[in-house]
Amino acid sequence: MVSRLITHIEKQVALSAEEKSIIEDVLFTEHLKKKQFLFKAGEPCRAKYFVVQGCLRLYITNAKGIDQMIQFGIDNWWITDYLGFKYKKPSVFNLQAVNDAVVIAVDEQQMEELSGKIPKLERYFRLVLETAYGASLMRFNYVFNMSGEERYRFFSTMNPDFVQKVPQYLIASYLGVTPEFLSKIRAKKV
Amino acid sequence: MVSRLITHIEKQVALSAEEKSIIEDVLFTEHLKKKQFLFKAGEPCRAKYFVVQGCLRLYITNAKGIDQMIQFGIDNWWITDYLGFKYKKPSVFNLQAVNDAVVIAVDEQQMEELSGKIPKLERYFRLVLETAYGASLMRFNYVFNMSGEERYRFFSTMNPDFVQKVPQYLIASYLGVTPEFLSKIRAKKV
DNA sequence: CAAAAAACTTAATCAAGATTAAGAAAAAAA
DNA sequence: TTTTTTTCTTAATCTTGATTAAGTTTTTTG
């Protein structure tokens, strides 16, 4: 299963057979049960997670006790509390498997070992992060320039399979609307 | 002025004298007049910009013709249309100097030349992007879990000098409220 | 300095979407 | 397959903040 990550890396940087085997020696997969947590708010976030299979959710429980989705983690996506991981502070987010999932965890030590032995992995991560950050800037565009209804129509057009696979209230939260309002939008779909 | 960037890089990775002079040979500063554009929507975005001095704004003109702030670029911050730059597509954003500013532009070719000669710059950019992406995930938290008023109070407490320096309507837009509403919030400040 | 442009304020009206409160349907567990 | 839990729906009411429309102040420019 680590081969799935290697394939993803090779889309950005070339790897020798030796480098691939270094990666396979250092990293291993982790199987998560539905609703299993990788970390909770207040706990340290010790790793970055590459999603091989399934879906994770990064969310925060707000002052009213409502869970607010921050980010989905699906196939070939890196997800973590980047600031918590970086500054070694207790996480403000929760990271949980939405359904049974497979991830590859990379902790600080593994990260340093790998980038020491294979410096071009830094380039891989740089490129991955540019995409993630770029996409997140676009998301602000959607959040500020589209109504809740427009965001839902757009999101479900762009991700038709995904909206079938995860509970609606998670989609609602990710889009910044209540599940009641999303239900209303769907009902009026002609 | 490139030394300002070098100082920033050295906070993340060590540079030899020779490496510093490579950077100084490849990069140079650009002085921007207030309201000058680095690129406009529809144009290619050919570089990443490191803000040495002043303030830039990344924004998009929406369907109603209203400018929506996406991101501010201030001292020691990298700013660009990451997706447009990466995929060489016309930018969807506008990047403009809010006031007179100094930036260091790094285009594709310079980027490749520098990371070829100084591979550890990839690490620098990786670390910079982790912070930017992490901060942007936190911003979604603020957007979804705080009211417009709370966002303004929080933002101006965190950035007291900055809110004095740039027009209010840009702050309003960045926070996702109208300038009229921001004015109302400020008026009722006891 | 005068005129023009840009930025900010005030206030009335309006609408998108939240809240509240059931109840229904679907999925998971026993 | 029955029970329990989770998820989704409907509908009435309410609120935050948008919109519209002046008018005022500040800044810039000729």
Side-chain angles (χ1 to χ4, degrees), chain A residues 74 90 164 179:
Chain A
I74 53 164
Q164 297 305 114

Side-chain angles (χ1 to χ4, degrees), chain A residues 48 60 62 68 82 86 93 111-112 122-123 126-127 129-133 136 140 144-145 176, chain B residues 48 60 62 68 82 86 111-112 122-123 125-127 129-131 133 136 140-141 144-145 176:
Chain A
K48 297 167 191 185
I60 189 163
N62 70 21
Q68 174 61 53
Y82 282 92
K86 191 179 193 80
F93 301 121
M111 189 75 194
E112 290 310 307
E122 292 285 6
R123 182 182 176 88
R126 192 261 291 176
L127 293 167
L129 282 157
E130 280 183 354
T131 307
Y133 181 52
S136 115
F140 286 111
F144 290 129
N145 286 319
Chain B
K48 298 167 191 184
I60 189 163
N62 69 21
Q68 174 60 55
Y82 282 92
K86 192 181 190 83
M111 188 76 195
E112 290 310 308
E122 292 285 6
R123 182 182 175 88
F125 282 108
R126 192 260 291 176
L127 294 166
L129 282 157
E130 279 182 355
T131 308
Y133 182 52
S136 114
F140 286 111
N141 172 28
F144 290 130
N145 286 318

Side-chain angles (χ1 to χ4, degrees), chain A residues 92-108:
Chain A
V92 296
F93 301 121
N94 306 275
L95 183 58
Q96 187 190 31
V98 172
N99 41 37
D100 289 1
V102 181
V103 299
I104 297 168
V106 183
D107 67 24
E108 176 86 59

Side-chain angles (χ1 to χ4, degrees), chain A residues 146 149-164 171 175 186 189:
Chain A
M146 289 169 132
E149 175 159 0
E150 287 168 331
R151 289 203 295 282
Y152 174 70
R153 306 253 187 246
F154 181 75
F155 185 84
S156 55
T157 303
M158 297 302 276
N159 311 280
D161 301 337
F162 183 73
V163 293
Q164 297 305 114
I171 308 275
L175 296 173
R186 287 163 48 85
K189 182 151 200 167

Side-chain angles (χ1 to χ4, degrees), chain B residues 77-175:
Chain B
W77 190 261
W78 285 91
I79 192 163
T80 194
D81 176 352
Y82 282 92
L83 296 184
F85 180 75
K86 192 181 190 83
Y87 298 114
K88 300 184 164 77
K89 290 197 172 174
S91 179
V92 296
F93 301 122
N94 306 274
L95 183 57
Q96 187 190 31
V98 173
N99 41 37
D100 288 1
V102 181
V103 299
I104 298 169
V106 184
D107 67 24
E108 175 85 58
Q109 212 185 328
Q110 292 167 321
M111 188 76 195
E112 290 310 308
E113 183 178 350
L114 285 174
S115 57
K117 288 180 178 165
I118 315 171
K120 64 188 146 188
L121 285 184
E122 292 285 6
R123 182 182 175 88
Y124 163 72
F125 282 108
R126 192 260 291 176
L127 294 166
V128 161
L129 282 157
E130 279 182 355
T131 308
Y133 182 52
S136 114
L137 292 183
M138 276 307 287
R139 187 172 161 209
F140 286 111
N141 172 28
Y142 303 137
V143 167
F144 290 130
N145 286 318
M146 290 168 131
S147 69
E149 175 159 1
E150 285 168 332
R151 289 202 293 282
Y152 174 70
R153 304 253 187 247
F154 181 75
F155 185 85
S156 56
T157 303
M158 298 301 278
N159 311 279
D161 301 337
F162 183 72
V163 293
Q164 298 305 114
K165 264 184 271 178
V166 305
Q168 250 181 66
Y169 69 94
L170 291 184
I171 308 274
S173 176
Y174 179 79
L175 296 174

